[in-house]
Amino acid sequence: MIALKTFIKRYQLGSLLLLAILLVVILPLSLDIFRLNLIGKYLTYAFVAVGLVMVWGYGGVLSLGQGIFFGIGGYAMAMFLKLEASDPITTKIQTTPGIPDFMDWNQITELPLMWLPFKSLTLTLILVIAAPTLLAWIISFAMFKRRVGGVYFAIITQAVALILTVLIIGQQGYTGGVNGMTDLKTVLGWDTRTDHAKYVLYFLCVGLLLASIILCRWIQTGKAGTLLLAMRDKEDRVRFSGYDVANFKVFTFCLAAALSGIGGALFSLQVGFMSPSFVGIVPSVEMVIFAAVGGRMSLVGAVYGTLLVNFGKTYFSESFPDMWLFLMAALFIGVTMAFPMGLAGVWEEHIRPRLQRRKLLPLGDDSPQSPALHAAAVAATVDSAAEPTLPDGVSTQRA
């Protein structure tokens, strides 16, 4: 028991436990299956937001093209599901049975070579992670090794997102075009449209999301996380200390891409379709907003930010269909102006200091009994917010 408490305190997993209770217990017991399925869809976006916390919050690299990797993972899973839904019996009315319907409409008479690996679920699961990671490595290695960063890197990722969207839409016979891939119903014969399947997919999504947060938290508390913070604030000093800054940035960007690919695959499973509307610039910018609203330095906050923004989008569109876009804009602007550090900043800057001060107060009193107690409360607050110690010669102090 003591070892578990030590582990939770060391990796600061208390907030993660609260999130797990919310997602695993409270929401499934309080929501019907339709709303719970919506939450599951929102949580697939949270994988992207968690990756953005690593690459943007800790690495200092803003990517406006994370929809690329979300879409690649989603299309990889959708291709497997589409092939399963296109068996010769189901597609016997087509000119060429056994291939997806959009290929038949575009007069393609045999399955393209690039589709063959997606006949296997094992290869599909590998490609869900490997394909976005490989593309992220190519982009980041080419950019970071030439010390391209900041706004230039953000613009390049936007350009890649636009290029990929145009490519998907243009190759209609191979990708389904602007309509995407629809009618995805089964996984190895298991119907994903039943209520039982929706519960299973929801808990699968929650489990993988919590595991992803633990993995990222483990990286943050290690040497790599310390160096990422140092590179964000004093990149030249880290480079002069003998570390290869580019390799750390490439690693973090690839990690964020892999997480986004997992989220995209889970989206295809839960929603039952995939289209280029989730790949382009607009969804990529929205994913950055998820992380910004939740707090770009908080992994758990990114999940809450994703849930808040998407819940607002659903609620406003249902209740105010004529002006919901204006209400969403007001939500973004209001949260950004009121809470510059996001929802996590509210906890760190306002709620936690008050709770720590109250721990030092006698019962029934609302103020410290002496200056010494007040000073102790302030010191505890400062110590809890202190950043990790860096290797010799490296500092996280902002320029």
Side-chain angles (χ1 to χ4, degrees):
M1 189 67 178
I2 297 177
L4 178 61
K5 291 182 178 179
T6 303
F7 177 80
I8 293 174
K9 185 176 181 180
R10 177 183 178 184
Y11 293 102
Q12 301 178 13
L13 298 180
S15 58
L16 180 61
L17 289 178
L18 294 177
L19 176 64
I21 293 172
L22 173 67
L23 298 179
V24 177
V25 180
I26 298 177
L27 292 181
L29 292 177
S30 58
L31 298 178
D32 57 63
I33 188 59
F34 173 75
R35 295 294 176 182
L36 191 66
N37 191 44
L38 277 181
I39 297 295
K41 185 181 77 170
Y42 301 160
L43 292 178
T44 62
Y45 301 140
F47 285 88
V48 186
V50 168
L52 280 167
V53 169
M54 295 298 296
V55 73
W56 180 32
Y58 265 67
V61 178
L62 176 59
S63 171
L64 297 179
Q66 292 303 104
I68 302 168
F69 313 114
F70 184 86
I72 291 176
Y75 266 96
M77 180 56 68
M79 290 166 75
F80 169 79
L81 299 176
K82 191 64 178 177
L83 285 177
E84 183 170 342
S86 303
D87 60 276
I89 297 177
T90 305
T91 58
K92 61 183 179 180
I93 63 173
Q94 295 180 180
T95 304
T96 306
I99 64 174
D101 48 11
F102 56 82
M103 293 185 184
D104 190 64
W105 300 337
N106 288 272
Q107 300 180 350
I108 294 177
T109 57
E110 62 179 351
L111 194 67
L113 184 63
M114 62 175 287
W115 277 72
L116 294 180
F118 298 99
K119 288 185 174 182
S120 167
L121 179 59
T122 302
L123 289 178
T124 299
L125 295 177
I126 293 174
L127 289 171
V128 161
I129 298 176
T133 302
L134 177 60
L135 179 59
W137 182 84
I138 294 173
I139 296 173
S140 58
F141 187 85
M143 296 297 104
F144 295 143
K145 285 297 183 179
R146 290 167 174 79
R147 300 188 184 181
V148 176
V151 65
Y152 303 104
F153 184 81
I155 293 174
I156 289 171
T157 55
Q158 273 198 330
V160 175
L162 179 61
I163 292 170
L164 186 60
T165 304
V166 173
L167 181 64
I168 292 174
I169 295 175
Q171 298 298 317
Q172 181 173 331
Y174 299 93
T175 64
V178 69
N179 295 322
M181 299 185 190
T182 59
D183 201 29
L184 311 177
K185 302 176 181 178
T186 61
V187 179
L188 300 178
W190 180 56
D191 192 345
T192 58
R193 298 169 298 174
T194 65
D195 290 350
H196 176 264
K198 291 177 181 178
Y199 275 113
V200 172
L201 291 175
Y202 170 79
F203 285 110
L204 174 63
C205 182
V206 170
L208 290 175
L209 179 61
L210 295 177
S212 300
I213 294 176
I214 293 174
L215 172 63
C216 292
R217 190 62 196 142
W218 176 73
I219 294 173
Q220 288 180 351
T221 54
K223 182 178 180 180
T226 302
L227 288 171
L228 286 174
L229 285 175
M231 289 187 299
R232 183 195 66 187
D233 298 333
K234 290 287 185 179
E235 182 175 321
D236 289 338
R237 185 174 295 183
V238 177
R239 183 179 291 109
F240 295 153
S241 299
Y243 294 97
D244 192 331
V245 172
N247 285 342
F248 281 95
K249 288 185 177 182
V250 169
F251 165 75
T252 311
F253 191 67
C254 290
L255 172 65
L259 294 177
S260 300
I262 295 173
L266 290 170
F267 178 88
S268 296
L269 281 171
Q270 294 197 67
V271 180
F273 78 95
M274 192 66 198
S275 75
S277 60
F278 300 101
V279 180
I281 295 175
V282 173
S284 297
V285 174
E286 283 186 346
M287 292 166 183
V288 174
I289 293 175
F290 301 159
V293 170
R296 67 188 182 109
M297 291 295 295
S298 173
L299 297 169
V300 174
V303 179
Y304 286 119
T306 304
L307 292 175
L308 175 63
V309 173
N310 284 281
F311 172 78
K313 184 187 296 185
T314 300
Y315 175 76
F316 292 146
S317 62
E318 290 177 350
S319 304
F320 310 97
D322 295 331
M323 56 183 302
W324 73 274
L325 286 174
F326 299 100
L327 295 174
M328 286 301 299
L331 174 65
F332 298 153
I333 296 173
V335 171
T336 303
M337 294 182 64
F339 313 117
M341 296 303 295
L343 298 177
V346 178
W347 168 261
E348 293 292 338
E349 297 177 5
H350 300 284
I351 300 177
R352 176 183 281 184
R354 292 184 180 182
L355 292 176
Q356 290 178 335
R357 284 196 297 267
R358 290 184 67 87
K359 288 180 180 179
L360 300 175
L361 299 180
L363 292 177
D365 200 346
D366 291 331
S367 60
Q369 295 297 311
S370 68
L373 282 176
H374 178 71
V378 174
T381 302
V382 173
D383 291 341
S384 66
E387 293 182 348
T389 305
L390 302 181
D392 294 339
V394 182
S395 172
T396 60
Q397 185 178 1
R398 289 187 177 275

Coordinates of all heavy atoms in Angstrom, one line a residue, residues 90-147:
T90 N -21.7 -10.2 -50.0 CA -22.3 -8.9 -49.7 C -22.3 -8.0 -51.0 O -23.3 -7.3 -51.2 CB -21.7 -8.2 -48.6 OG1 -21.7 -9.0 -47.4 CG2 -22.4 -6.9 -48.2
T91 N -21.3 -8.1 -51.8 CA -21.1 -7.3 -52.9 C -21.4 -8.0 -54.2 O -20.8 -7.6 -55.3 CB -19.6 -6.7 -53.0 OG1 -18.7 -7.8 -53.0 CG2 -19.4 -5.8 -51.7
K92 N -22.2 -9.0 -54.2 CA -22.4 -9.8 -55.4 C -23.1 -9.1 -56.5 O -23.1 -9.4 -57.7 CB -23.2 -11.1 -55.0 CG -24.6 -10.8 -54.4 CD -25.3 -12.1 -54.1 CE -26.7 -11.8 -53.4 NZ -27.4 -13.0 -53.0
I93 N -23.8 -7.9 -56.2 CA -24.5 -7.2 -57.2 C -23.6 -6.2 -57.9 O -24.0 -5.6 -58.9 CB -25.7 -6.4 -56.6 CG1 -25.2 -5.3 -55.6 CG2 -26.7 -7.3 -55.9 CD1 -26.2 -4.4 -55.0
Q94 N -22.4 -6.1 -57.5 CA -21.4 -5.2 -58.1 C -20.9 -5.8 -59.4 O -20.9 -7.1 -59.6 CB -20.2 -4.9 -57.2 CG -20.6 -4.1 -55.9 CD -19.4 -3.8 -55.0 OE1 -19.5 -3.2 -54.0 NE2 -18.2 -4.3 -55.4
T95 N -20.3 -5.0 -60.2 CA -19.6 -5.5 -61.4 C -18.5 -6.4 -61.1 O -18.2 -7.5 -61.7 CB -19.1 -4.4 -62.3 OG1 -20.2 -3.5 -62.6 CG2 -18.5 -4.9 -63.6
T96 N -17.7 -6.0 -60.1 CA -16.6 -6.8 -59.6 C -16.8 -7.1 -58.1 O -16.5 -6.3 -57.2 CB -15.2 -6.1 -59.7 OG1 -15.1 -5.7 -61.1 CG2 -14.1 -7.0 -59.3
P97 N -17.4 -8.2 -57.7 CA -17.6 -8.6 -56.3 C -16.3 -8.7 -55.6 O -15.3 -9.1 -56.1 CB -18.4 -9.9 -56.4 CG -19.0 -9.9 -57.8 CD -18.0 -9.3 -58.6
G98 N -16.4 -8.4 -54.3 CA -15.2 -8.6 -53.4 C -14.3 -7.4 -53.2 O -13.3 -7.5 -52.6
I99 N -14.7 -6.3 -53.8 CA -13.9 -5.1 -53.6 C -14.9 -4.0 -53.1 O -16.1 -4.1 -53.2 CB -13.3 -4.6 -54.9 CG1 -14.3 -4.2 -56.0 CG2 -12.3 -5.6 -55.5 CD1 -13.8 -3.5 -57.2
P100 N -14.3 -3.0 -52.4 CA -15.2 -1.9 -51.9 C -16.1 -1.3 -52.9 O -15.7 -1.2 -54.1 CB -14.2 -0.9 -51.3 CG -13.0 -1.7 -50.9 CD -12.9 -2.8 -52.0
D101 N -17.2 -0.8 -52.5 CA -18.2 -0.3 -53.5 C -17.7 0.9 -54.3 O -17.9 1.0 -55.5 CB -19.5 0.1 -52.8 CG -19.3 0.9 -51.5 OD1 -18.2 1.4 -51.3 OD2 -20.3 1.0 -50.8
F102 N -16.9 1.8 -53.6 CA -16.5 3.0 -54.3 C -15.5 2.7 -55.4 O -15.3 3.4 -56.4 CB -15.9 4.0 -53.4 CG -14.8 3.6 -52.5 CD1 -13.5 3.5 -52.9 CD2 -15.1 3.2 -51.2 CE1 -12.5 3.1 -52.1 CE2 -14.1 2.7 -50.3 CZ -12.8 2.7 -50.8
M103 N -14.7 1.5 -55.2 CA -13.8 1.1 -56.3 C -14.6 0.6 -57.5 O -14.3 0.9 -58.7 CB -12.9 0.0 -55.8 CG -11.9 0.4 -54.7 SD -10.8 -0.9 -54.3 CE -9.9 -0.1 -53.0
D104 N -15.7 -0.1 -57.2 CA -16.5 -0.6 -58.3 C -17.2 0.6 -59.1 O -17.3 0.5 -60.3 CB -17.6 -1.5 -57.8 CG -18.4 -2.2 -58.9 OD1 -17.7 -3.1 -59.6 OD2 -19.6 -2.0 -59.0
W105 N -17.6 1.6 -58.4 CA -18.2 2.8 -59.0 C -17.2 3.5 -59.9 O -17.5 4.1 -60.9 CB -18.7 3.8 -58.0 CG -19.7 3.2 -57.1 CD1 -20.5 2.2 -57.3 CD2 -20.0 3.7 -55.7 NE1 -21.3 1.9 -56.2 CE2 -21.1 2.8 -55.3 CE3 -19.6 4.7 -54.9 CZ2 -21.6 3.0 -54.0 CZ3 -20.1 4.9 -53.7 CH2 -21.1 4.0 -53.2
N106 N -15.9 3.4 -59.5 CA -14.8 4.1 -60.3 C -14.1 3.1 -61.3 O -13.0 3.4 -61.8 CB -13.8 4.7 -59.4 CG -14.3 5.9 -58.7 OD1 -14.2 7.0 -59.1 ND2 -14.9 5.7 -57.5
Q107 N -14.8 2.0 -61.6 CA -14.4 1.0 -62.6 C -13.0 0.4 -62.3 O -12.3 0.1 -63.3 CB -14.4 1.7 -64.0 CG -15.8 2.3 -64.4 CD -15.8 2.9 -65.8 OE1 -14.7 3.2 -66.3 NE2 -17.0 3.2 -66.3
I108 N -12.7 0.2 -61.1 CA -11.5 -0.5 -60.7 C -11.9 -2.0 -60.6 O -12.9 -2.3 -59.9 CB -11.0 0.0 -59.4 CG1 -10.4 1.4 -59.5 CG2 -9.8 -0.9 -58.9 CD1 -9.9 2.1 -58.3
T109 N -11.2 -2.9 -61.2 CA -11.6 -4.3 -61.3 C -10.9 -5.2 -60.4 O -11.3 -6.4 -60.3 CB -11.4 -4.8 -62.8 OG1 -10.1 -4.6 -63.1 CG2 -12.3 -4.0 -63.7
E110 N -9.9 -4.8 -59.7 CA -9.2 -5.6 -58.7 C -8.7 -4.8 -57.6 O -8.5 -3.6 -57.7 CB -8.0 -6.4 -59.4 CG -6.9 -5.5 -59.9 CD -5.8 -6.4 -60.5 OE1 -5.8 -7.6 -60.4 OE2 -5.0 -5.8 -61.2
L111 N -8.4 -5.4 -56.5 CA -8.0 -4.7 -55.3 C -6.6 -4.2 -55.5 O -5.7 -4.9 -55.8 CB -8.0 -5.7 -54.1 CG -7.9 -5.0 -52.7 CD1 -9.2 -4.2 -52.4 CD2 -7.8 -6.1 -51.6
P112 N -6.4 -2.9 -55.2 CA -5.1 -2.3 -55.4 C -4.0 -2.9 -54.4 O -4.4 -3.4 -53.4 CB -5.3 -0.8 -55.1 CG -6.7 -0.6 -55.3 CD -7.4 -1.8 -54.9
L113 N -2.8 -2.8 -54.8 CA -1.7 -3.5 -54.0 C -1.6 -2.8 -52.6 O -1.4 -3.6 -51.7 CB -0.4 -3.3 -54.8 CG 0.8 -4.0 -54.1 CD1 0.6 -5.5 -54.1 CD2 2.1 -3.6 -54.9
M114 N -1.8 -1.5 -52.5 CA -1.7 -0.9 -51.2 C -2.8 -1.3 -50.2 O -2.6 -1.1 -49.0 CB -1.8 0.6 -51.4 CG -3.1 1.1 -52.0 SD -3.3 2.9 -52.1 CE -3.5 3.3 -50.3
W115 N -3.8 -2.0 -50.7 CA -4.9 -2.4 -49.8 C -4.6 -3.8 -49.3 O -5.3 -4.2 -48.3 CB -6.2 -2.4 -50.6 CG -6.9 -1.1 -50.6 CD1 -6.5 0.0 -51.3 CD2 -8.1 -0.7 -49.9 NE1 -7.4 1.0 -51.1 CE2 -8.4 0.6 -50.2 CE3 -8.9 -1.4 -49.0 CZ2 -9.5 1.3 -49.7 CZ3 -10.0 -0.7 -48.5 CH2 -10.3 0.6 -48.8
L116 N -3.7 -4.6 -49.9 CA -3.6 -6.0 -49.5 C -3.2 -6.2 -48.0 O -3.7 -7.1 -47.4 CB -2.5 -6.6 -50.4 CG -2.9 -6.7 -51.9 CD1 -1.8 -7.4 -52.7 CD2 -4.2 -7.5 -52.0
P117 N -2.3 -5.3 -47.5 CA -1.9 -5.6 -46.0 C -3.1 -5.4 -45.1 O -3.1 -6.0 -44.0 CB -0.9 -4.5 -45.8 CG -0.3 -4.1 -47.1 CD -1.4 -4.3 -48.0
F118 N -4.1 -4.7 -45.5 CA -5.3 -4.5 -44.6 C -6.3 -5.6 -44.6 O -7.3 -5.5 -44.0 CB -5.9 -3.2 -45.0 CG -5.0 -2.0 -44.9 CD1 -4.3 -1.5 -46.0 CD2 -4.8 -1.4 -43.6 CE1 -3.5 -0.4 -45.8 CE2 -3.9 -0.3 -43.5 CZ -3.2 0.2 -44.6
K119 N -5.9 -6.7 -45.3 CA -6.8 -7.9 -45.1 C -6.5 -8.6 -43.8 O -7.3 -9.4 -43.3 CB -6.5 -8.9 -46.3 CG -7.0 -8.5 -47.6 CD -6.8 -9.5 -48.7 CE -7.5 -9.2 -50.0 NZ -7.3 -10.3 -51.0
S120 N -5.4 -8.3 -43.2 CA -5.0 -8.9 -41.9 C -5.2 -7.8 -40.8 O -4.7 -6.7 -40.9 CB -3.5 -9.3 -41.9 OG -3.0 -9.6 -40.6
L121 N -5.8 -8.3 -39.7 CA -6.0 -7.4 -38.6 C -4.7 -7.1 -37.9 O -4.5 -5.9 -37.4 CB -7.0 -8.0 -37.6 CG -7.3 -7.2 -36.3 CD1 -7.9 -5.8 -36.7 CD2 -8.3 -7.9 -35.4
T122 N -3.8 -8.1 -37.8 CA -2.5 -7.8 -37.1 C -1.7 -6.8 -37.9 O -1.2 -5.9 -37.2 CB -1.8 -9.2 -37.1 OG1 -2.5 -10.2 -36.4 CG2 -0.4 -9.0 -36.4
L123 N -1.6 -6.9 -39.2 CA -0.9 -5.9 -40.0 C -1.6 -4.6 -39.9 O -0.9 -3.5 -39.8 CB -0.8 -6.4 -41.4 CG 0.2 -7.5 -41.7 CD1 0.1 -7.9 -43.2 CD2 1.6 -7.2 -41.3
T124 N -2.9 -4.5 -39.8 CA -3.6 -3.3 -39.7 C -3.2 -2.6 -38.4 O -3.0 -1.4 -38.4 CB -5.1 -3.5 -39.8 OG1 -5.4 -4.1 -41.1 CG2 -5.9 -2.2 -39.6
L125 N -3.2 -3.3 -37.3 CA -2.9 -2.7 -36.0 C -1.5 -2.2 -36.0 O -1.2 -1.1 -35.4 CB -3.1 -3.7 -34.9 CG -4.6 -4.2 -34.7 CD1 -4.7 -5.2 -33.6 CD2 -5.5 -3.0 -34.3
I126 N -0.6 -2.9 -36.6 CA 0.8 -2.4 -36.7 C 0.9 -1.1 -37.5 O 1.5 -0.2 -37.1 CB 1.7 -3.5 -37.3 CG1 1.8 -4.7 -36.4 CG2 3.1 -3.0 -37.6 CD1 2.5 -5.9 -37.0
L127 N 0.2 -1.1 -38.7 CA 0.2 0.1 -39.5 C -0.5 1.3 -38.9 O -0.2 2.4 -39.2 CB -0.4 -0.3 -40.9 CG 0.4 -1.2 -41.8 CD1 -0.4 -1.6 -43.0 CD2 1.7 -0.5 -42.2
V128 N -1.5 1.0 -38.0 CA -2.2 2.1 -37.3 C -1.1 3.0 -36.6 O -1.3 4.2 -36.5 CB -3.2 1.6 -36.4 CG1 -3.6 2.6 -35.3 CG2 -4.5 1.1 -37.2
I129 N -0.1 2.3 -36.0 CA 0.9 3.1 -35.3 C 2.1 3.4 -36.2 O 2.6 4.5 -36.2 CB 1.4 2.3 -34.1 CG1 0.2 2.1 -33.1 CG2 2.5 2.9 -33.4 CD1 0.5 1.2 -31.9
A130 N 2.5 2.4 -37.0 CA 3.7 2.6 -37.8 C 3.6 3.6 -38.9 O 4.5 4.4 -39.2 CB 4.1 1.2 -38.4
A131 N 2.5 3.6 -39.6 CA 2.3 4.6 -40.7 C 2.4 6.0 -40.3 O 3.2 6.8 -40.9 CB 1.0 4.3 -41.5
P132 N 1.6 6.5 -39.3 CA 1.7 7.9 -38.9 C 3.1 8.2 -38.3 O 3.6 9.3 -38.5 CB 0.6 8.1 -37.9 CG 0.2 6.7 -37.5 CD 0.5 5.8 -38.6
T133 N 3.7 7.2 -37.6 CA 5.0 7.4 -37.0 C 6.0 7.6 -38.1 O 6.9 8.5 -37.9 CB 5.3 6.3 -36.1 OG1 4.3 6.1 -35.1 CG2 6.7 6.5 -35.4
L134 N 6.0 6.8 -39.1 CA 6.9 6.9 -40.2 C 6.8 8.3 -40.9 O 7.8 9.0 -41.2 CB 6.7 5.8 -41.2 CG 7.6 5.8 -42.4 CD1 9.1 5.7 -42.0 CD2 7.3 4.7 -43.4
L135 N 5.6 8.7 -41.2 CA 5.4 10.0 -41.8 C 5.9 11.1 -40.9 O 6.5 12.1 -41.4 CB 4.0 10.2 -42.2 CG 3.6 11.6 -42.9 CD1 4.4 11.8 -44.2 CD2 2.1 11.7 -43.1
A136 N 5.6 11.0 -39.6 CA 6.1 12.0 -38.7 C 7.6 12.1 -38.6 O 8.2 13.2 -38.5 CB 5.5 11.7 -37.3
W137 N 8.2 10.9 -38.7 CA 9.7 10.9 -38.7 C 10.3 11.6 -39.9 O 11.2 12.3 -39.8 CB 10.2 9.4 -38.6 CG 11.7 9.3 -38.5 CD1 12.5 9.4 -37.5 CD2 12.6 9.1 -39.7 NE1 13.8 9.3 -37.8 CE2 13.9 9.1 -39.2 CE3 12.3 9.0 -41.0 CZ2 15.0 9.0 -40.0 CZ3 13.4 8.8 -41.9 CH2 14.7 8.8 -41.3
I138 N 9.7 11.3 -41.0 CA 10.2 11.9 -42.3 C 10.0 13.5 -42.2 O 11.0 14.2 -42.5 CB 9.4 11.4 -43.5 CG1 9.7 9.9 -43.7 CG2 9.8 12.2 -44.7 CD1 8.8 9.3 -44.8
I139 N 8.9 13.9 -41.7 CA 8.7 15.4 -41.7 C 9.6 16.0 -40.6 O 10.3 17.0 -40.9 CB 7.2 15.7 -41.3 CG1 6.3 15.2 -42.4 CG2 7.0 17.2 -41.1 CD1 4.8 15.3 -42.1
S140 N 9.6 15.4 -39.4 CA 10.4 16.1 -38.3 C 11.9 15.9 -38.5 O 12.6 16.9 -38.2 CB 10.0 15.4 -37.0 OG 10.2 14.0 -37.0
F141 N 12.3 14.8 -39.1 CA 13.8 14.7 -39.3 C 14.2 15.7 -40.3 O 15.3 16.3 -40.2 CB 14.1 13.2 -39.8 CG 15.5 12.9 -39.9 CD1 16.2 12.5 -38.8 CD2 16.2 13.1 -41.1 CE1 17.6 12.2 -38.9 CE2 17.6 12.8 -41.2 CZ 18.3 12.4 -40.1
A142 N 13.5 15.9 -41.4 CA 13.8 16.8 -42.4 C 13.8 18.3 -41.9 O 14.7 19.1 -42.3 CB 12.9 16.7 -43.6
M143 N 12.9 18.6 -41.0 CA 12.8 19.9 -40.5 C 13.7 20.2 -39.3 O 14.5 21.2 -39.3 CB 11.3 20.2 -40.0 CG 10.3 20.2 -41.2 SD 10.6 21.4 -42.4 CE 11.3 20.4 -43.7
F144 N 13.7 19.4 -38.3 CA 14.5 19.6 -37.1 C 16.0 19.5 -37.3 O 16.8 20.2 -36.7 CB 14.1 18.7 -36.0 CG 12.6 18.9 -35.6 CD1 11.8 17.9 -35.2 CD2 12.1 20.2 -35.5 CE1 10.5 18.1 -34.8 CE2 10.8 20.4 -35.1 CZ 10.0 19.4 -34.8
K145 N 16.4 18.6 -38.2 CA 17.9 18.5 -38.5 C 18.4 19.8 -39.2 O 19.6 20.1 -39.1 CB 18.1 17.3 -39.4 CG 18.1 16.0 -38.6 CD 19.1 15.9 -37.5 CE 19.1 14.5 -36.9 NZ 20.1 14.4 -35.8
R146 N 17.5 20.5 -39.8 CA 17.9 21.8 -40.4 C 17.5 23.0 -39.5 O 17.5 24.1 -40.0 CB 17.2 22.0 -41.8 CG 17.8 21.0 -42.8 CD 16.9 20.9 -44.1 NE 17.6 20.1 -45.1 CZ 17.6 18.8 -45.1 NH1 17.0 18.1 -44.1 NH2 18.2 18.1 -46.1
R147 N 17.1 22.7 -38.3 CA 16.8 23.7 -37.3 C 15.6 24.6 -37.7 O 15.6 25.8 -37.4 CB 18.0 24.5 -36.9 CG 19.1 23.7 -36.4 CD 20.2 24.6 -35.8 NE 21.4 23.8 -35.4 CZ 22.5 24.3 -34.8 NH1 22.6 25.6 -34.7 NH2 23.5 23.5 -34.5

